[in-house]
Amino acid sequence: MPLTRSEATARAAIVDVHSYEVHLDVTAAEETFGARTVVRFGARPGASTFLEFEPVRIQSMTLNGARVPAEAATGGRLELTGLAEENELVVAATMRYSNDGEGLHRYTDPADGNVYLYQHLFINNGGRVLPCFDQPDMKASFQVAVTAPADWKVAANGELISAADGVWRFAPTKPISTYLASLFAGPLHVVTDEHDGIPLALYVRAALAADLDRDAEELFTITKQCLDRYHEMFDIRYPFGHYQQAFAPEFNFGAMEYPGLVVFRDEMIYRSAVTESQRESRANVIAHEMAHMWFGDLVTMAWWDDLWLNESFAEYLGTRVAAEATRFTGAWTTFAMQRKAWGLRADQHPSTHPVAPIEVADTDQALLNFDGISYAKGAATLKQLVAFVGDEAFLAGLNDHFAAHAYGNATLADLLAALTKSSGRDLAGWSDVWLRRAQVNTLRMSLSPAAVEQTAPEGYPTLRPHKIGIGLFDRAPDGSVNRRTTVLAEVDAEPRTLIPAVDGEPAADLVLLNDGDLTYAKIRLDDASTAAVSTVLPLLSDSLARAVLWAATLDAVVDGERPVAELVTLVLTALPVESEVVIVEDVLRATRSLVDRYSTRETRPAALELVAQAADRLLAVSEPGGSRQLAAARGLIGATAQTGRLRGWLAGEGVPEGLAIDDDLRWLILYRLVVLGAADLDGIDAEYARDRSATGAQWAARCRAAVPSAEAKAAAWQSIVADTTLSNRLVEMTASGFWHSEQLDLVAPYVSRYFAEMPAMMRVRSGMSAEKTAKYAYPELSVDPETRRYAAELLAREDLDPILRRVVQDSDDDMRRALQARF
Ligand SMILES: [Zn+2]
């Protein structure tokens, strides 16, 4: 049952929670574990309240020494009446493990049969582990003990006090929100270090021990660099004692910012070759989660409507600190290319919402707002805010904010008050148009006279002030295209702003609007610059400028302003000379997706062949063993129809020098062969026998869903909609392997079945796992008015689950664009 905002407000007014003492026994059974909890809290005498609590069985339950009947716990809540001024609730109960990544997730590693547990209570799953007041503004100290098998290790938020006779005891934490309480347990492999007085640790399951050891130095180096940078920026030192980072199997998020014990998905411990941009992305996540130690953990939003206070700041600071403190100096290029596109897409969907909504009604709604708007648009908005008030005032405001609300909660109004004071600027108008209003403006450059035209989408008439860079680029005698100057301009919240400084400059070969990527908007160049993109882009020396140009080009194709065929031609000429790996990866991925959805059955094979050719050309000129080579090889594998060549690579024939056909690349090749009908279930079984690992099991599930036979599709579909024995990750992999533009006739019956059967799927899966399954299983490749009719029928149902409603609404909107662009 979701918790509503009004319930949370009412409960916080009555109850003041002090501490949780939790003792879990995970030695008992495969399905369940024991939890003994003591909750100490103050209350308004005589009042009633409730805690979130979902036990299988209650052994005993007392409030202030008096027995509470088991019937008080029903429907996910424990109702308490007759509270005293100070209360002690003591509950011993049997609880159920989960396999969907929420609550206490239990995982068996196929590599060695080892069992691992991690606790993820976000967004309101606290009741699946212990009785608790599960809302962000009711902070308390957690004191945890775990009885575990003899060969296990256990890590938790607090520092370890003792580990004897199979009982692991941890020190009480500082006051934290319930959603931030975590633990990770199993026969773990651990590596430790220390920095600036802060104990550091890395945890991973045993099967990944050697892979962690190989990367431990890199992980520690980045961690230390980021800690140092945050300590330079912030007055308050890292506030939670030790800094442990764990890598857990089947984790729903990229990572989660539990104080003292950050948990990442363990795909970030690499067993095969990866690109530098993957390593950059991991460094960015490390920096992002660390930012949360201040923004989110030390000072927490009062309610989920200020979710952006957590995520926008972590995204902004994470990118900034990765760029400033680690070797990944190009982090803002990735942000411009990848993260902003995510924000722009979400912001143009029917489900768009302000960065800071005035009110989020309940935890279900809050979960849906974990999207590109709360992360990427919010971060882009903060980048714009820094350009607006200056960095010194920005950091001074943050430090005042931390000092005022440490170990407590705060709202947007609190933060704006601090920033207004530090900058001396009235931010009310700025925050109203940037934080309180949804959707995105389009900025269009025009020349003679130079002006920026600003438009707003239908239904969202707000225009915004933008601090923006306009880059003037010239062609040098050696052919390269370089920046002559960047004009910094203030674009008014008006339909047209003249930029005389550009008129004062001689004509340029490229006028790049939003040079430096300071603002958040859809960018369209002047006509001459647009026409020059295909010749200029490959020669542009600045990678951030190329990213801005690529992003604008891709966005114009998404909007149907430029044909996908033109994009494919540009990819063929510009990609083979692209040096920035993240641009290579993102352009290949986005182009592949656009070709799948925007080209027709007749034109698609030729378009795909050109994408494969572009990747092949890049492969031919890439340095052996480098990231670009790997990115090119992956792009080629994903688009090519040359099954003979792929089979050869698997057999070690014709492999480009330096390219390792390692476990992950073997699976990628096999997956493509399966999609093309050139490998079957036997081939998948053989590969899984060769690689009986967690990743192998996931790839095998994905490959089985991709087999082009009626039986295989029927089995996969059944798994997607109904099999609750499958874990969150195995369902995701199955759903993501189901649809292929090469198999549209075969999967045609499943288009209508999606709309008929997803409501039932939503009832058997929960939270994030349900949302991801609905997304991955959507028939987005069946770009057809009939698909839209089915969507409209489903959306007309009033009893539709809100999560499914949003997935269908937004996916249908993508299809509307694709259909418009096609015809
Ligand atoms: Zn975050």
Side-chain angles (χ1 to χ4, degrees):
M1 187 191 314
L3 178 70
T4 68
R5 190 182 200 270
S6 54
E7 285 174 328
T9 309
R11 185 161 68 171
I14 296 173
V15 174
D16 176 24
V17 58
H18 310 313
S19 67
Y20 297 95
E21 236 178 83
V22 199
H23 191 146
L24 303 182
D25 181 353
V26 299
T27 59
E30 289 197 357
E31 303 280 312
T32 60
F33 60 98
R36 186 179 183 281
T37 309
V38 181
V39 190
R40 298 192 177 88
F41 61 100
R44 189 183 298 163
S48 306
T49 191
F50 65 92
L51 294 86
E52 281 75 6
F53 192 34
E54 303 175 42
V56 179
R57 264 186 320 279
I58 296 173
Q59 277 83 44
S60 68
M61 181 156 61
T62 59
L63 176 66
N64 304 326
R67 185 179 162 272
V68 179
E71 300 77 65
T74 170
R77 290 181 177 183
L78 168 60
E79 303 282 345
L80 296 180
T81 55
L83 297 176
E85 194 165 350
E86 288 300 327
N87 301 274
E88 188 177 85
L89 173 73
V90 183
V91 183
T94 301
M95 312 295 292
R96 194 181 307 282
Y97 290 118
S98 79
N99 69 350
D100 62 6
E102 294 172 342
L104 191 59
H105 184 93
R106 188 176 192 275
Y107 177 76
T108 304
D109 193 335
D112 49 21
N114 282 336
V115 170
Y116 298 90
L117 308 173
Y118 66 81
Q119 176 176 301
H120 180 63
L121 304 186
F122 175 90
I123 190 166
N124 67 328
N125 288 295
R128 290 168 76 168
V129 176
L130 73 159
C132 59
F133 299 101
D134 200 3
Q135 62 187 71
D137 60 341
M138 294 183 75
K139 292 190 172 186
S141 167
F142 278 75
Q143 182 166 8
V144 175
V146 180
T147 300
D151 59 335
W152 281 28
K153 288 191 179 74
V154 183
N157 305 94
E159 267 125 344
L160 184 67
I161 298 174
S162 65
D165 304 325
V167 182
W168 296 68
R169 295 185 190 280
F170 297 90
T173 66
K174 296 262 178 50
I176 59 173
S177 303
T178 43
Y179 78 92
L180 292 172
S182 188
L183 59 87
F184 185 35
L188 303 172
H189 174 67
V190 57
V191 187
T192 59
D193 199 347
E194 185 271 342
H195 181 66
D196 193 12
I198 300 169
L200 307 177
L202 301 168
Y203 294 92
V204 78
R205 60 192 153 86
L208 295 179
D211 301 316
L212 175 65
D213 289 350
R214 205 167 41 241
D215 269 7
E217 192 183 328
E218 172 169 324
L219 292 165
F220 279 136
T221 299
I222 291 162
T223 303
K224 294 170 187 178
Q225 289 168 331
C226 293
L227 273 170
D228 286 347
R229 185 72 188 108
Y230 284 118
H231 283 157
E232 283 168 15
M233 290 162 78
F234 299 152
D235 299 340
I236 298 181
R237 267 176 66 86
Y238 169 66
F240 296 103
H242 54 182
Y243 199 78
Q244 309 174 95
Q245 298 174 96
F247 297 83
E250 303 191 320
F251 200 67
N252 276 333
F253 285 148
M256 182 80 193
E257 65 269 24
Y258 312 114
L261 178 65
V262 177
V263 175
F264 301 75
R265 57 168 58 208
D266 69 11
E267 285 89 339
M268 287 190 204
I269 297 302
Y270 312 127
R271 59 180 200 147
S272 295
V274 293
T275 62
E276 268 294 280
S277 71
Q278 285 173 283
R279 289 183 185 277
E280 179 195 302
S281 155
R282 182 172 70 180
N284 200 316
V285 178
I286 290 172
H288 174 115
E289 303 310 326
M290 201 181 284
H292 276 309
M293 297 300 141
W294 287 265
F295 252 111
D297 296 2
L298 179 67
V299 180
T300 309
M301 75 231 134
W303 177 247
W304 300 107
D305 34 25
D306 274 328
L307 165 72
W308 80 284
L309 282 178
N310 278 9
E311 295 310 340
S312 306
F313 273 88
E315 172 105 7
Y316 168 77
L317 288 167
T319 308
R320 175 174 169 170
V321 166
E324 290 176 355
T326 76
R327 71 185 155 97
F328 301 106
T329 52
W332 285 115
T333 300
T334 307
F335 183 77
M337 187 75 212
Q338 217 173 46
R339 305 295 287 183
K340 266 177 107 170
W342 180 39
L344 285 168
R345 246 185 349 265
D347 209 9
Q348 294 172 80
H349 275 151
S351 69
T352 185
H353 56 86
V355 170
I358 296 212
E359 190 169 322
V360 171
D362 61 32
T363 46
D364 276 357
Q365 285 294 322
L367 187 64
L368 289 169
N369 284 354
F370 271 74
D371 59 10
I373 295 171
S374 297
Y375 285 73
K377 181 186 179 183
T381 303
L382 289 176
K383 204 176 176 194
Q384 179 66 192
L385 176 66
V386 175
F388 195 64
V389 301
D391 199 40
E392 207 172 310
F394 178 71
L395 289 177
L398 294 196
N399 278 314
D400 288 350
H401 183 71
F402 294 146
H405 305 285
Y407 302 108
N409 297 82
T411 63
L412 168 61
D414 297 323
L415 180 74
L416 284 180
L419 288 168
T420 301
K421 186 162 160 263
S422 67
S423 69
R425 293 185 74 153
D426 180 6
L427 296 174
W430 180 89
S431 70
D432 179 60
V433 295
W434 279 106
L435 300 178
R436 290 297 196 197
R437 291 170 196 264
Q439 265 280 7
V440 56
N441 298 119
T442 300
L443 300 182
R444 193 178 297 272
M445 192 74 211
S446 61
L447 296 175
S448 12
V452 175
E453 326 269 352
Q454 179 169 189
T455 54
E458 214 183 309
Y460 297 89
T462 305
L463 297 180
R464 295 173 176 86
H466 299 261
K467 183 114 187 200
I468 200 166
I470 299 169
L472 305 179
F473 291 78
D474 300 318
R475 213 180 279 261
D478 69 354
S480 68
V481 175
N482 305 302
R483 182 182 289 108
R484 181 202 317 158
T485 184
T486 301
V487 172
L488 273 180
E490 306 239 356
V491 171
D492 304 322
E494 300 287 342
R496 188 158 194 257
T497 304
L498 290 171
I499 315 287
V502 171
D503 290 320
E505 288 280 336
D509 290 311
L510 171 73
V511 178
L512 181 61
L513 186 59
N514 203 25
D515 189 23
D517 197 38
L518 293 183
T519 201
Y520 171 83
K522 288 163 75 75
I523 298 301
R524 296 294 184 265
L525 306 185
D526 63 277
D527 292 343
S529 294
T530 303
V533 165
S534 60
T535 51
V536 166
L537 184 56
L539 309 169
L540 207 52
S541 54
D542 183 281
S543 72
L544 181 54
R546 292 199 304 278
V548 170
L549 210 47
W550 269 117
T553 304
L554 289 166
D555 189 52
V557 178
V558 170
D559 283 0
E561 291 170 21
R562 326 278 316 170
V564 69
E566 192 182 296
L567 170 66
V568 170
T569 309
L570 179 65
V571 168
L572 198 58
T573 54
L575 206 68
V577 293
E578 179 56 57
S579 59
E580 194 69 41
V581 180
V582 70
I583 295 181
V584 168
E585 289 175 329
D586 213 56
V587 166
L588 281 171
R589 186 197 50 71
T591 305
R592 169 75 221 235
S593 162
L594 283 163
V595 166
D596 269 348
R597 294 179 299 118
Y598 280 57
S599 56
T600 62
R601 206 172 264 254
E602 291 72 36
T603 57
R604 188 177 306 118
L608 268 184
E609 180 50 37
L610 291 178
V611 175
Q613 268 181 36
D616 208 3
R617 284 187 196 174
L618 180 62
L619 186 63
V621 299
S622 299
E623 63 285 17
S627 292
R628 235 163 43 125
Q629 183 190 49
L630 180 54
R634 288 174 180 162
L636 173 64
I637 293 164
T640 187
Q642 296 177 12
T643 55
R645 187 171 176 200
L646 293 180
R647 278 213 198 85
W649 283 14
L650 274 186
E653 293 155 16
V655 179
E657 189 203 334
L659 183 70
I661 308 294
D662 51 26
D663 290 334
D664 287 355
L665 210 56
R666 282 185 66 87
W667 278 113
L668 192 68
I669 294 169
L670 182 66
Y671 181 58
R672 184 65 184 157
L673 288 171
V674 169
V675 170
L676 294 170
D680 57 12
L681 284 171
D682 289 344
I684 299 167
D685 289 343
E687 192 64 27
Y688 185 41
R690 201 186 152 276
D691 173 28
R692 197 160 287 277
S693 64
T695 318
Q698 291 162 14
W699 266 115
R702 195 173 187 206
C703 285
R704 284 188 204 108
V707 170
S709 78
E711 301 74 36
K713 292 296 176 189
W717 192 255
Q718 185 59 22
S719 297
I720 293 165
V721 297
D723 187 351
T724 54
T725 65
L726 281 186
S727 68
N728 53 337
R729 187 72 93 249
L730 289 177
V731 180
E732 278 163 37
M733 295 307 276
T734 304
S736 73
F738 191 85
W739 298 95
H740 299 276
S741 59
E742 293 86 351
Q743 303 175 350
L744 286 179
D745 289 332
L746 178 67
V747 291
Y750 293 92
V751 176
S752 62
R753 286 186 64 177
Y754 176 91
F755 298 96
E757 297 174 31
M758 276 303 129
M761 184 286 290
M762 296 301 293
R763 286 194 289 276
V764 299
R765 303 197 192 288
S766 70
M768 193 143 280
S769 177
E771 183 187 355
K772 285 187 185 179
T773 307
K775 260 186 200 159
Y776 291 143
Y778 199 87
E780 62 165 15
L781 302 182
S782 179
V783 181
D784 192 295
E786 194 182 35
T787 311
R788 296 208 62 210
R789 274 198 297 280
Y790 290 128
E793 281 168 25
L794 186 63
L795 289 171
R797 277 176 54 171
E798 279 177 13
D799 62 344
L800 195 60
D801 180 282
I803 295 175
L804 182 58
R805 178 178 297 280
R806 191 183 279 198
V807 169
V808 172
Q809 226 170 25
D810 290 349
S811 306
D812 177 61
D813 190 58
D814 289 338
M815 192 165 292
R816 176 186 63 78
R817 281 169 200 268
L819 276 167
Q820 259 173 11
R822 266 194 199 181
F823 302 110

